């Protein structure tokens, strides 16, 4: 597998500006699902925000169908999912505690990516024959 280096920047909670590089992760699988990744210092500690999407552009009808069938509970006990971004493709923002131990952080991110990949693959399988339900015969 090809390795991808993901740079994590610290984002200022108030200004939204990226301030400095704080770490880099070696990820070997499912990086195509990452839209962006950054850390934010919150009152309860540093949090890692990972925005996840589909690995390909989706058709208009698929956009709604994906949100209808994607179960964010797949992250229960592992991550918090905050409001999805309104983007060209569906996006979910997954938040976990930032770990200073990079190996642990890499494992946590890899696990979340694997969960997301399985869920999105299941969703695509579920919606493959549902276009007519979302297009109203257009």
């Amino acid at each position: 597998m090809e390795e991808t280096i993901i740079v994590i920047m610290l984002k200022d909670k108030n200004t939204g500006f990226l301030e400095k590089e704080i770490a880099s992760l070696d990820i070997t699988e499912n990086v195509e699902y990452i839209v962006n990744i950054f850390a934010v210092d919150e009152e309860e500690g540093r949090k890692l925000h990972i925005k996840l999407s589909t690995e390909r552009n989706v058709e208009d009808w698929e956009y709604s169908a994906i949100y209808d069938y994607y179960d964010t509970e797949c992250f229960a006990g592992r991550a918090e999912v905050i409001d999805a971004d309104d983007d060209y493709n569906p996006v979910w923002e997954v938040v976990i505690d930032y770990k200073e131990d990079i190996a642990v952080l890499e494992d946590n991110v890899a696990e979340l990516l694997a969960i997301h990949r399985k869920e999105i693959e299941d969703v695509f399988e579920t919606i493959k024959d549902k276009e007519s339900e979302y297009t109203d015969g257009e």
Side-chain angles (χ1 to χ4, degrees):
M1 297 250 154
E2 190 172 310
E3 182 178 282
T4 301
I5 305 297
I6 307 275
V7 174
I8 300 175
M9 300 290 291
L10 182 62
K11 185 175 183 179
D12 184 284
K13 183 178 177 179
N14 298 316
T15 67
F17 291 127
L18 298 174
E19 296 181 328
K20 64 181 178 178
E21 179 181 333
I22 58 172
S24 53
L25 307 177
D26 296 337
I27 306 291
T28 57
E29 295 181 296
N30 305 314
V31 293
E32 65 272 18
Y33 295 103
I34 298 175
V35 175
N36 65 35
I37 187 169
F38 56 89
V40 177
D41 286 333
E42 306 279 353
E43 289 179 20
E44 60 276 359
R46 186 168 284 175
K47 301 291 183 178
L48 185 67
H49 294 248
I50 310 165
K51 291 187 179 182
L52 301 172
S53 189
T54 59
E55 82 288 3
R56 62 175 173 85
N57 289 332
V58 300
E59 295 181 33
D60 290 344
W61 73 268
E62 289 176 308
Y63 186 93
S64 296
I66 290 167
Y67 277 126
D68 286 348
Y69 287 92
Y70 191 98
D71 184 7
T72 58
E73 287 300 310
C74 63
F75 295 108
R78 293 180 179 89
E80 174 189 0
V81 179
I82 59 177
D83 289 338
D85 282 342
D86 193 22
D87 203 358
Y88 181 76
N89 286 322
V91 175
W92 299 267
E93 188 166 349
V94 179
V95 181
I96 61 173
D97 290 333
Y98 180 86
K99 305 290 186 195
E100 293 294 332
D101 184 330
I102 297 304
V104 170
L105 193 59
E106 286 173 344
D107 288 346
N108 291 347
V109 171
E111 179 184 24
L112 295 175
L113 290 172
I115 291 167
H116 175 71
R117 184 200 74 236
K118 180 176 183 337
E119 183 65 18
I120 206 74
E121 286 174 350
D122 290 350
V123 167
F124 277 126
E125 182 62 28
T126 300
I127 69 170
K128 71 180 180 184
D129 298 323
K130 298 192 181 294
E131 182 174 2
S132 63
E133 295 176 29
Y134 287 89
T135 58
D136 294 328
E138 291 175 11

